[in-house]
Amino acid sequence: MADLMGLFLACVMALCLGVIGVIRTAQGKSLVPARAVTSRRKVADYPQTARSVTVAVIVGVAVGILTRWPVAGLMAVAIVLLWPKLARSGAIEKTSVAKIEAIANWTESLRDAAAAESGLEQALPATLEGAPMLLRRPLRNLVNALDLRTPLPIALAAFADEVDHRGADKVVIALSQTAEQRAGSLKRVLTTLASNTRAELEMRRKVLTERNGVRRQSNQVVLGMLALAGLQAVFLRGWVEPYSTLYGQGLLAVLAGTYVALLVRLQRLAAPEPQPRFLSGAEALMGGASTGVVA
């Protein structure tokens, strides 16, 4: 009996280590913890992490009591902790599409303002009032920098860094190239950029719609399987009685670990590919402008 209990505890510890490894891998961290580095972002994320862990522990304890399976409780903890990350890929892609739409709207607004104003530095403040919410703060910082006599390339590079999107990089490079040219030339460039951004927006919207359908179906399958397993464990004990044994718990630990690993793998496959930026500061802006990245 002692040997069986030792085997059971070993299985539980192995599952715990596996869950920790899956969580760290899903977060993009090394399996071996590195030395902790204090930062304001980590301090700000601590309350949210504490709440998530508390909710996960409560759910895990409840599932363990209802099913009388320790492994089921540990699996519930892992799923609750991982679920926000599993569902995050759709939110990331939706935010990226919203940024593209905001950039397209602002580019069109800047094009119209450039036709009415005498220069770029006069046209930029004119777009602040009706700017999209996603760009209002970066644009306000850009206008404030220009009011403080900050050189235009530096102010534009800071604006691009704050927006953090390759679409904004294209607009910034175009503005840097045509800042000293006639308003008509700037208007033509911005018209082309706005048209290209609109075309990219429509394409990304179609891709987002298709991926959202796949994500919705995947979530339904996952939740359906978990609900079916939970109902069987609580109300139909006879069907799943073999899992109540020590060896059954060991097998359930293997199946649960595999299931969680597959969920993480699906999340990575569904996540949008990162789009590299063109700019990384004023120096890159000057280089991009000199080589003519945007025509």
Side-chain angles (χ1 to χ4, degrees):
M1 185 66 181
D3 293 339
L4 294 179
M5 182 57 67
L7 178 60
F8 173 73
L9 293 176
C11 291
V12 172
M13 291 181 63
L15 179 62
C16 292
L17 292 175
V19 169
I20 294 174
V22 169
I23 293 174
R24 292 188 64 84
T25 303
Q27 294 175 340
K29 299 178 181 179
S30 172
L31 292 178
V32 180
R35 180 176 297 178
V37 178
T38 303
S39 64
R40 283 183 293 182
R41 182 176 180 180
K42 289 186 177 182
V43 173
D45 290 344
Y46 177 77
Q48 182 178 357
T49 302
R51 285 194 298 268
S52 300
V53 172
T54 301
V55 172
V57 170
I58 293 174
V59 172
V61 171
V63 171
I65 292 175
L66 288 174
T67 61
R68 287 169 282 177
W69 292 346
V71 172
L74 292 174
M75 182 181 180
V77 171
I79 291 178
V80 171
L81 290 176
L82 287 175
W83 190 259
K85 297 185 180 298
L86 296 176
R88 188 178 61 177
S89 58
I92 293 175
E93 192 168 9
K94 186 177 180 180
T95 301
S96 178
V97 172
K99 273 190 177 182
I100 295 175
E101 183 177 10
I103 292 170
N105 292 336
W106 177 66
T107 304
E108 293 169 350
S109 176
L110 182 59
R111 175 198 60 195
D112 298 337
E117 300 293 340
S118 58
L120 178 60
E121 296 188 8
Q122 291 74 34
L124 286 170
T127 64
L128 179 58
E129 183 176 355
M133 288 300 300
L134 287 175
L135 299 182
R136 191 162 295 175
R137 182 174 179 179
L139 185 58
R140 184 180 295 110
N141 293 337
L142 171 61
V143 173
N144 291 338
L146 294 177
D147 290 340
L148 295 175
R149 305 298 181 183
T150 303
L152 183 61
I154 297 178
L156 289 174
F159 170 78
D161 288 339
E162 194 169 357
V163 177
D164 193 23
H165 195 278
R166 59 185 292 151
D169 291 346
K170 293 179 182 180
V171 177
V172 164
I173 293 174
L175 295 179
S176 179
Q177 286 179 311
T178 58
E180 303 300 331
Q181 299 181 20
R182 296 190 307 272
S185 177
L186 177 60
K187 182 179 179 180
R188 286 194 298 272
V189 171
L190 291 175
T191 299
T192 302
L193 275 173
S195 177
N196 293 341
T197 306
R198 285 289 177 187
E200 181 183 359
L201 175 62
E202 292 303 319
M203 180 188 67
R204 293 288 296 274
R205 278 177 172 170
K206 292 179 181 178
V207 173
L208 177 62
T209 301
E210 294 176 357
R211 287 182 174 176
N212 282 341
V214 174
R215 292 189 187 102
R216 186 163 49 250
Q217 294 175 2
S218 299
N219 292 340
Q220 291 173 354
V221 171
V222 170
L223 293 176
M225 291 181 63
L226 292 175
L228 179 62
L231 290 174
Q232 288 179 346
V234 175
F235 299 107
L236 300 173
R237 297 288 297 182
W239 290 14
V240 293
E241 189 63 29
Y243 288 110
S244 300
T245 64
L246 183 61
Y247 293 106
Q249 286 290 285
L251 177 60
L252 184 61
V254 174
L255 295 176
T258 303
Y259 188 73
V260 173
L262 289 175
L263 289 180
V264 174
R265 179 59 178 169
L266 285 175
Q267 184 268 337
R268 290 187 173 183
L269 291 175
E273 295 183 0
Q275 298 292 325
R277 291 184 52 199
F278 296 116
L279 299 178
S280 59
E283 296 80 5
L285 176 59
M286 302 300 290
S290 63
T291 56
V293 176
V294 179

